[in-house]
Amino acid sequence: MSASFDLYRVFESLAAPKLRAEDAARARLAECMTDFGRGVDTSLVREAMLKAAIARPYREVLEVALDTGIREAIDRTRKSLARTLLTRAPGSSTCQINNEAARMEIEGAQNFLANTEGLLEHAAEAEADAPAGGDPEPVDVPKIGPVERRTLEAIRDNGAAFWKNRAGGFELWVERGYKPRKDMVEWAVSEGYAERDTTAGGLLTGQAVTLTDLGHDVLAA
């Protein structure tokens, strides 16, 4: 397995939860917009805008990587987003929607830069330390019990999210089906099997919990 392929897999694991969250937010908005018996839920519009802004850099890297390679795509996107943060100022438009979109674009850039900080340097070090002419040892997928498996399946299938209650704490809700215990969902996040959306938008639209690639691998094992 080459170092560049390893980097691609690592980046995919970072991108996958963001892309799934965007798809889910767009689907919820589309369902709302096609139901003419109800008004437009503006919180769903905002959620879809935010998730799209966060996912956009990851999606662009995966597209550009087809032509340039993953290392060049990440480097190019990081430099472009850094320039955006230095030059883009929200609130300059007379349209509040445009101002909100600009603010979310900045939040998406900050998210990407934070999550990919040091990634290229780490990949370069791993490549330098890798023994010549050999593949790395395969990684064993952790084994889990039936309760843990059911928890991961609920996170994958049932639309789990943390919502802030009036007391200031968080409660776990699911859109459908089995509702796992809150502490088990927190365990999945702590083990890296799931990811909790802690962006600013999540406080208003619910902090969605989605499986990471490792979580999917565990379920598939």
Side-chain angles (χ1 to χ4, degrees), residues 47-68:
E47 179 188 16
M49 290 172 62
L50 178 60
K51 294 299 190 294
I54 291 175
R56 186 178 301 118
Y58 297 90
R59 194 181 301 280
E60 290 176 353
V61 166
L62 293 174
E63 293 174 354
V64 172
L66 297 176
D67 297 322
T68 68

